[in-house]
Amino acid sequence: MLFLGEDLLAWLVLAIGAALALGTLLALVRPRAETPQGELARPPLGRSVVMITIGTVAALWGLASLLR
């Protein structure tokens, strides 16, 4: 018997996709207060939009798989 039944992969895709989208969005909205020397103050916008899109698609795919 699997941990979350037969839908373990769908749950993992939903969780990882949602974490990727939400984490990247929050990093854009609220950057760090202090930035260590040599690091960017904010994440690059283009890469962040791509990561939010990929995460959202993955989360929706996982949700659709669970609801079928």
Side-chain angles (χ1 to χ4, degrees):
M1 175 175 253
L2 293 173
F3 175 60
L4 290 174
E6 298 295 321
D7 298 327
L8 177 62
L9 185 60
W11 282 108
L12 289 173
V13 170
L14 173 64
I16 292 171
L20 178 65
L22 186 61
T24 307
L25 181 65
L26 290 176
L28 275 177
V29 172
R30 188 172 175 221
R32 289 192 235 178
E34 294 180 20
T35 305
Q37 186 177 5
E39 291 190 17
L40 298 173
R42 297 190 69 166
L45 183 62
R47 181 180 69 192
S48 297
V49 169
V50 170
M51 297 303 262
I52 291 169
T53 303
I54 291 171
T56 302
V57 168
L60 290 174
W61 190 335
L63 185 62
S65 295
L66 289 169
L67 294 177
R68 64 159 169 81

